[in-house]
Amino acid sequence: MFTGIVEELGEVVSIEPTGDGGESVALAVRGPLVSSDASRGDSIAVNGVCLTVVDLAEGIFTADVMKESLDRSSLGALVPGAPVNLERAARVDGRLGGHIVQGHVDGTAVLISRDPGDRWDVLRFGLAPELSPYVVEKGSITVDGTSLTVSAVSEPGAVEEFFEVSLIPATLEATTLGALAPGATVNIEVDVIAKYVERIAAVARVRAGSVS
């Protein structure tokens, strides 16, 4: 479990296919801070994807990325030297600075536009129709592992659905979002609470129908 508060900007060292037909990769990332107290088996979020540490060496950790994660995220497009947002798993005795983030990416989104301001930038991302019901204005969303507040969202059924986030200088400086250019792909995780509510309501409707 994570909070979406990025701790460190890491750097991809290597990304190599493993011996199963290339359907998974071994991802090595330089992250001195997040590696400083890490052990094999620990969880570290890389651009919002929860990965398990399988090896450690001098500030570099390696994780296996399975096909499911590659299919749902942008990790497969990373190249050596690429910056990545890193966060260690949340401590139970710590403050929840962002929101509840599982590190289970729901899909990707493309940056449509970027509107720089005096003190913040407004970023607009395309929104996949299947994720649209879970995104609400002033609600929480995770973009490349960064916990953000939705500042605007398109109307239901819009021809081109989107959501916007407004980034303060601290976020621009501490995460990869500061250098993100239109056309870039990011990982998206919607609020898990919304998904639970939808599931509970769906099960309730089915049960009510079977009783009647």
XYZ file of all heavy atoms in Angstrom, residues 196-210:
113
model
N -14.916 -0.317 -5.192
C -15.614 -1.151 -4.207
C -17.102 -0.808 -4.157
O -17.962 -1.694 -4.077
C -14.998 -0.987 -2.821
C -13.806 -1.882 -2.580
C -12.549 -1.352 -2.360
C -13.949 -3.271 -2.579
C -11.447 -2.172 -2.141
C -12.864 -4.096 -2.362
C -11.614 -3.550 -2.145
O -10.529 -4.361 -1.929
N -17.405 0.484 -4.191
C -18.808 0.911 -4.164
C -19.552 0.354 -5.373
O -20.679 -0.159 -5.262
C -18.910 2.449 -4.129
C -20.361 2.891 -4.342
C -18.386 2.990 -2.810
N -18.927 0.424 -6.548
C -19.559 -0.096 -7.763
C -19.811 -1.598 -7.639
O -20.885 -2.095 -8.006
C -18.674 0.181 -8.969
C -19.277 -0.328 -10.276
C -18.334 -0.151 -11.448
O -17.199 -0.663 -11.378
O -18.724 0.489 -12.427
N -18.846 -2.327 -7.130
C -18.978 -3.778 -6.986
C -20.077 -4.132 -5.990
O -20.895 -5.029 -6.248
C -17.641 -4.369 -6.515
C -17.664 -5.854 -6.210
C -17.946 -6.692 -7.439
N -17.882 -8.121 -7.111
C -18.185 -9.083 -7.960
N -18.550 -8.796 -9.195
N -18.102 -10.346 -7.596
N -20.123 -3.443 -4.873
C -21.156 -3.703 -3.861
C -22.545 -3.458 -4.442
O -23.479 -4.244 -4.250
C -20.924 -2.813 -2.621
C -19.663 -3.261 -1.879
C -22.136 -2.861 -1.682
C -19.190 -2.289 -0.815
N -22.679 -2.345 -5.193
C -23.974 -2.020 -5.789
C -24.379 -3.059 -6.824
O -25.552 -3.456 -6.914
C -23.918 -0.627 -6.418
N -23.412 -3.535 -7.628
C -23.717 -4.533 -8.656
C -24.173 -5.846 -8.035
O -25.145 -6.464 -8.488
C -22.488 -4.759 -9.531
N -23.473 -6.284 -6.994
C -23.852 -7.530 -6.313
C -25.226 -7.391 -5.671
O -26.056 -8.312 -5.729
C -22.790 -7.908 -5.258
C -23.282 -9.072 -4.403
C -21.468 -8.262 -5.931
N -25.495 -6.233 -5.087
C -26.788 -6.004 -4.445
C -27.922 -6.074 -5.467
O -28.990 -6.643 -5.188
C -26.793 -4.650 -3.743
N -27.688 -5.506 -6.662
C -28.727 -5.550 -7.699
C -29.000 -6.980 -8.146
O -30.172 -7.382 -8.342
C -28.295 -4.702 -8.898
C -28.367 -3.201 -8.679
C -28.275 -2.445 -9.993
N -26.991 -2.689 -10.657
C -25.897 -1.951 -10.466
N -25.937 -0.941 -9.620
N -24.795 -2.218 -11.122
N -27.949 -7.775 -8.296
C -28.121 -9.157 -8.723
C -28.880 -9.955 -7.667
O -29.793 -10.727 -7.981
C -26.735 -9.809 -9.001
C -26.895 -11.305 -9.204
C -26.087 -9.179 -10.225
N -28.526 -9.772 -6.435
C -29.190 -10.494 -5.348
C -30.646 -10.081 -5.214
O -31.517 -10.894 -4.936
C -28.449 -10.269 -4.040
C -27.080 -10.971 -4.005
C -26.333 -10.700 -2.722
N -25.068 -11.447 -2.695
C -24.156 -11.313 -1.762
N -24.338 -10.457 -0.779
N -23.049 -12.035 -1.809
N -30.900 -8.780 -5.392
C -32.276 -8.302 -5.313
C -33.111 -8.900 -6.445
O -34.273 -9.274 -6.264
C -32.303 -6.775 -5.389
N -32.509 -9.045 -7.618
C -33.213 -9.623 -8.749
C -33.511 -11.092 -8.557
O -34.583 -11.585 -8.931
N -32.590 -11.827 -7.919
C -32.806 -13.257 -7.710
C -33.872 -13.511 -6.650
O -34.604 -14.502 -6.706
C -31.482 -13.920 -7.273
O -31.032 -13.397 -6.035
